[in-house]
Amino acid sequence: MVKTTLDRCLTCQALGRPGPPAPITPTTMPDGPWQTVHVDFYGPLPTGEYLLVIVDRYSRFPEVEIVHSTRASTVIPKLDKIFAVHGIPTLLKSDNGPLFNGEEYQRYLTALGIKAIFSTPKWPQGNAEVERFMQPLGKSLKAAKLDGRPWKQELSRFLLHYRTTPHCTTGVPPSELLFNRQVQGKLPILQKRNLVNRHNEAREKEGERQQYNKRYADEKRNVRESPIKVGDYVLWKQERRNKLTPNFNETPHIVISRNNNTVTARSQTGHTITRNVSHFKPIPKPKIDVQVDDDDDSETYDAERTERDRVDTSNPEPRRSTRNVRQPERYGEGIPSSLVQDLFMNGTPSSGTCKTNRDGFPESMKDVKVWVRKLERGSMRWARESNVLSLQWVDNRPVSLITSIDYANDKKDVERRTKTKGVFEK
């Protein structure tokens, strides 16, 4: 009885601890070098610059370019420079940063015939090849700063050492797998080796290393297969903004797809979120009885409260930012209908949002909690009394407006762009 009550309590579930992570799923080594590459940014640096980092999945060979911003107009020429040396890859994997979801970047990849792959949002392990490289890269730059050495020169030396040193996973230097020859580094080459079988050796060692890492990590993290499947109701883990932020967002979502450890869930309002399976918590099928603030603080309607009425934690924040983001006040304070009428009689037209419990608001439009049920966003109605026009429409919540300026039959067409698969279209 007690357990059933707690399981059905959304507040209790939102404040509960997350479950154990899912087991690691090793990736497969490509057929050859420079077919699949991973890209990400390191920075910003104290100079305001960023490092564009690209790592070949097969050889682990890194390329690093200094950029002054993360705009597509700055990054694309750097990509052209790298591709001119190594060729155009087949797949390019990145996180879900603003650049990689931009329209100009997508057009660039399409023109070159490159397929873009995105890691799971809020899951850096999905882009592990380049994320892991950031650790020694950052350590080298920090050491250069502490010793007073120029970091740009130290960056070039670090890349030489990294490319000519046997990689801990493959056991072969990245330069040998990429160029199929020995590259002279600072350390002398004591013995010339036959490079014919180095690729087979790298594959064998990577497979052994992946299995060892999987066993170690799974045991260390106490992993467990997640029972979440399509059709289950879940809560999703949200970022902690302050001491009172619950571990999970309390809005129930239903799982619509699962691909290995990547899960996509959707709420009744249409909000869709994709995360790693460990970011979701299964719950029993909830009873939807959520109250939402209307223009009148005493009125509610039976619809699920959207994340936009709170702080939308699904949108990516600036990288490594800890600032608090407050919800904007989009419609301001309401004004009474009688004030609009009095101003009009004195020759001053006016317009503004209004609460439905104010004096002078049409009685036929005060049933907002009944009217708004099962309506889509953008639905509207209006009524005119004397020289005052009253309107209501459904946004994230119902909005009421009164005006003595506009007419009900006025029409203005606007174009709105929609985002489909990361690309804005008209």
Side-chain angles (χ1 to χ4, degrees):
M1 180 66 180
V2 175
K3 184 179 185 303
T4 303
T5 303
L6 292 177
D7 289 343
R8 294 189 175 277
C9 174
L10 290 180
T11 301
C12 302
Q13 295 298 325
L15 297 176
R17 294 182 179 181
I24 291 178
T25 303
T27 58
T28 304
M29 196 173 187
D31 295 333
W34 210 258
Q35 294 182 3
T36 301
V37 298
H38 298 251
V39 60
D40 201 0
F41 289 101
Y42 182 87
L45 300 175
T47 58
E49 297 169 306
Y50 293 82
L51 297 181
L52 173 66
V53 181
I54 295 182
V55 177
D56 176 29
R57 170 63 182 86
Y58 180 86
S59 63
R60 268 65 171 194
F61 188 92
E63 284 285 359
V64 180
E65 291 287 341
I66 302 173
V67 294
H68 298 283
S69 73
T70 59
R71 294 193 301 267
S73 58
T74 304
V75 173
I76 287 178
K78 298 295 184 181
L79 293 177
D80 282 333
K81 179 181 177 182
I82 295 174
F83 294 161
V85 176
H86 302 290
I88 298 175
T90 304
L91 303 176
L92 195 151
K93 189 170 186 178
S94 64
D95 58 18
N96 295 267
L99 166 69
F100 306 120
N101 282 312
E103 184 177 354
E104 185 176 356
Y105 177 79
Q106 295 294 332
R107 288 200 305 266
Y108 171 74
L109 296 185
T110 302
L112 295 182
I114 302 175
K115 181 179 179 180
I117 302 177
F118 300 97
S119 60
T120 305
K122 305 296 182 181
W123 192 251
Q125 295 92 320
N127 203 19
E129 279 70 16
V130 68
E131 294 287 354
R132 182 62 182 87
F133 174 75
M134 298 299 186
Q135 298 181 20
L137 173 63
K139 186 176 181 180
S140 174
L141 298 180
K142 293 174 185 177
K145 180 180 179 181
L146 289 176
D147 294 340
R149 303 191 301 269
W151 68 269
K152 293 184 179 180
Q153 182 179 359
E154 200 63 27
L155 173 61
S156 299
R157 293 178 178 176
F158 163 76
L159 290 175
L160 174 63
H161 297 324
Y162 189 92
R163 292 164 175 170
T164 56
T165 302
H167 196 273
C168 61
T169 300
T170 61
V172 182
S175 58
E176 290 189 18
L177 287 180
L178 182 62
F179 302 123
N180 207 32
R181 66 180 180 87
Q182 288 182 288
V183 177
Q184 177 66 57
K186 189 173 182 180
L187 297 176
I189 299 177
L190 301 179
Q191 181 180 2
K192 295 291 184 178
R193 299 188 301 270
N194 184 6
L195 300 180
V196 175
N197 296 323
R198 298 291 279 175
H199 294 274
N200 294 333
E201 176 187 345
R203 287 185 179 277
E204 292 176 1
K205 288 188 176 181
E206 174 171 298
E208 295 174 359
R209 189 68 182 180
Q210 283 185 336
Q211 293 301 321
Y212 171 80
N213 291 341
K214 175 177 172 58
R215 289 194 303 268
Y216 178 82
D218 289 352
E219 181 180 355
K220 190 78 172 178
R221 301 187 305 160
N222 296 320
V223 301
R224 187 176 63 190
E225 286 287 354
S226 174
I228 294 176
K229 60 184 181 300
V230 175
D232 289 350
Y233 284 85
V234 294
L235 301 181
W236 56 276
K237 187 178 179 181
Q238 59 186 356
E239 293 185 3
R240 188 173 183 179
R241 300 178 178 275
N242 53 61
K243 291 291 186 179
L244 300 182
T245 302
N247 294 328
F248 294 88
N249 186 286
E250 65 271 27
T251 302
H253 285 57
I254 187 170
V255 177
I256 59 176
S257 70
R258 177 173 179 178
N259 182 15
N260 293 329
N261 289 333
T262 300
V263 174
T264 301
R266 180 184 298 157
S267 68
Q268 285 195 349
T269 57
H271 172 255
T272 304
I273 185 168
T274 301
R275 294 287 188 271
N276 184 271
V277 67
S278 61
H279 283 215
F280 290 97
K281 184 176 186 178
I283 61 173
K285 183 176 181 180
K287 296 180 180 179
I288 303 301
D289 186 15
V290 183
Q291 294 184 341
V292 182
D293 292 338
D294 185 37
D295 296 307
D296 182 357
D297 294 339
S298 64
E299 294 178 331
T300 61
Y301 65 97
D302 293 331
E304 185 177 0
R305 188 169 188 174
T306 64
E307 286 71 27
R308 296 186 183 90
D309 291 330
R310 311 162 198 243
V311 177
D312 190 350
T313 59
S314 65
N315 292 331
E317 295 180 328
R319 294 171 61 88
R320 300 176 180 88
S321 175
T322 57
R323 65 188 182 92
N324 293 326
V325 181
R326 293 183 299 176
Q327 182 186 13
E329 183 65 37
R330 294 183 174 87
Y331 301 111
E333 289 292 333
I335 59 175
S337 177
S338 57
L339 176 61
V340 176
Q341 180 68 29
D342 293 341
L343 290 174
F344 182 82
M345 297 302 295
N346 285 279
T348 304
S350 59
S351 179
T353 56
C354 175
K355 292 188 175 182
T356 58
N357 61 348
R358 296 296 178 94
D359 293 338
F361 195 81
E363 292 292 335
S364 60
M365 300 176 66
K366 289 188 176 182
D367 60 339
V368 62
K369 72 175 183 178
V370 178
W371 171 72
V372 78
R373 290 178 180 175
K374 299 181 180 180
L375 288 178
E376 296 182 354
R377 187 177 181 182
S379 302
M380 65 171 296
R381 64 178 178 176
W382 59 273
R384 175 175 290 279
E385 294 185 3
S386 183
N387 297 310
V388 178
L389 174 67
S390 302
L391 300 104
Q392 283 182 335
W393 72 89
V394 181
D395 200 339
N396 292 335
R397 57 179 182 175
V399 181
S400 301
L401 179 140
I402 52 177
T403 177
S404 60
I405 302 175
D406 303 302
Y407 296 94
N409 295 325
D410 285 348
K411 180 180 179 182
K412 180 182 294 184
D413 294 330
V414 297
E415 288 187 354
R416 180 180 178 184
R417 298 196 304 168
T418 58
K419 193 173 184 181
T420 304
K421 296 183 179 180
V423 179
F424 283 98
E425 299 177 348
K426 290 186 178 180

